[in-house]
Amino acid sequence: MTDQPTPDDLPPAPPRPRRRRFQGTIAQISGALGFYRVCAYVTGVMLLLLVAKMIMTYAVGVELYAGGTAEDGAANALGFHSIGSVVGGQAVSYWVAVVHGWIYVVYLISGFRLWFLMRWPFGRLATIVLGGVVPFLSFIVERRIAGEARREMEENPEAARRY
C-alpha cells in the first residue's frame, strides 16, 4: 500500500465562485437606480395622500372641493365639505387617486428596469412592486434596494457590460 490519500481522506472542494453579470453598464444601472429612488419617494408620498383621502372620505365623510358653490350658497374656492354638498366643484381627492395610479405605473416601470439591469431573482421584483402598495413600505424598500444595488456594483465591478 502507498501513503497516498484516498478520496475519502480529502476535504470537500470549496464551492466555485459565482460570476456575477449585470445586464447593463454602471452608468445605465446608476441612472436606473436614481430614477427608481425618485419614483419610490414620489409614490410613497402620493400613497400617504391617498390613505389620508380615504380616511377623510370614508371615516369622516368629508371631501376637499375646489370651486363650486357650497350648500349654504357661499362660493367655494378650496375647502373641506361634506360629500356631495358642493355644486359645480371638483373633488380634489379624485385627482389624488388618479395621479397616484399613474405615478405607481411609472414606479413599476422604474422598478422593473432596475430589476432587469441588475439581473435579480423574481422575488426582488415582487418586493419592489409591493413597496408602492403598502403605506410607508416604499421608503423602506427603496433604502434596502438602493443599498443592495450599490453594494453589488461595488463588489462586482467587472460584472457590468462594457460597450
Side-chain angles (χ1 to χ4, degrees):
M1 294 223 150
T2 63
D3 289 335
Q4 298 245 347
T6 63
D8 296 332
D9 297 334
L10 296 175
R16 292 183 128 197
R18 185 173 161 252
R19 291 200 55 189
R20 183 74 166 94
R21 301 302 301 162
F22 299 134
Q23 191 64 33
T25 64
I26 294 296
Q28 289 173 328
I29 295 171
S30 296
L33 179 61
F35 185 60
Y36 165 75
R37 294 186 70 201
V38 168
C39 288
Y41 276 103
V42 172
T43 300
V45 169
M46 288 305 296
L47 183 59
L48 292 176
L49 285 174
L50 183 63
V51 168
K53 171 252 190 257
M54 292 173 70
I55 291 171
M56 293 298 289
T57 301
Y58 299 115
V60 181
V62 246
E63 286 273 352
L64 179 61
Y65 285 99
T69 306
E71 60 187 4
D72 62 358
N76 176 48
L78 184 66
F80 288 101
H81 298 279
S82 59
I83 297 173
S85 66
V86 174
V87 178
Q90 176 65 47
V92 175
S93 59
Y94 166 78
W95 290 106
V96 168
V98 170
V99 169
H100 166 70
W102 282 107
I103 287 175
Y104 182 67
V105 170
V106 174
Y107 168 78
L108 290 178
I109 292 169
S110 70
F112 178 81
R113 178 166 163 74
L114 180 63
W115 171 80
F116 176 77
L117 290 174
M118 292 298 295
R119 297 182 79 178
W120 279 329
F122 183 75
R124 191 84 34 87
L125 179 62
T127 303
I128 291 170
V129 168
L130 286 176
V133 177
V134 180
F136 295 107
L137 190 59
S138 68
F139 305 115
I140 297 166
V141 169
E142 178 275 328
R143 188 174 178 111
R144 193 178 118 213
I145 292 294
E148 285 182 33
R150 279 193 219 102
R151 187 178 64 251
E152 285 188 28
M153 285 191 294
E154 289 171 4
E155 290 174 357
N156 304 290
E158 74 291 337
R161 290 181 138 184
R162 289 163 179 60
Y163 291 121

